[in-house]
Amino acid sequence: MLKFTLTAALLCTVLSGAAIAQDATTKCDEASMTKLETDTNAMTDAAKKEMAMKEMAMAKEAMAAKDMKKCTTHMNNAMLGKSSL
């Protein structure tokens, strides 16, 4: 039982580290914005695509305002398919 618990804890640690690393590598720049826009346009789920487009618009506004943290957050939301609204 202890072995199972330790294995589960290790797995959770590794997976959460990967999620944090993904956030750290997202850049708020034109190249990333263009790639994300291309990926968003290729989406087939209409609801997720609409949400991602709204997040992209908010990311562009934040980038224009030089708020890189907010821009990155909106870009991550668009990539992960969740809304900050």
Side-chain angles (χ1 to χ4, degrees):
M1 184 63 140
L2 180 61
K3 186 176 180 181
F4 176 78
T5 304
L6 291 174
T7 304
L10 179 64
L11 183 61
C12 288
T13 303
V14 169
L15 293 177
S16 65
I20 292 168
Q22 180 182 1
D23 287 348
T25 60
T26 302
K27 294 180 184 174
C28 185
D29 59 12
E30 279 300 322
S32 298
M33 197 70 74
T34 301
K35 182 184 180 332
L36 184 55
E37 194 166 9
T38 301
D39 293 346
T40 301
N41 287 331
M43 289 178 151
T44 56
D45 184 332
K48 284 188 177 186
K49 184 175 185 175
E50 181 180 353
M51 182 282 311
M53 295 297 256
K54 287 178 183 177
E55 289 290 336
M56 284 290 302
M58 289 186 281
K60 287 179 182 180
E61 289 175 13
M63 188 167 94
K66 306 284 190 235
D67 187 346
M68 296 306 150
K69 184 176 181 194
K70 192 174 186 180
C71 176
T72 301
T73 299
H74 287 300
M75 287 181 72
N76 282 332
N77 288 343
M79 283 188 290
L80 297 173
K82 63 182 184 180
S83 177
S84 63
L85 301 176

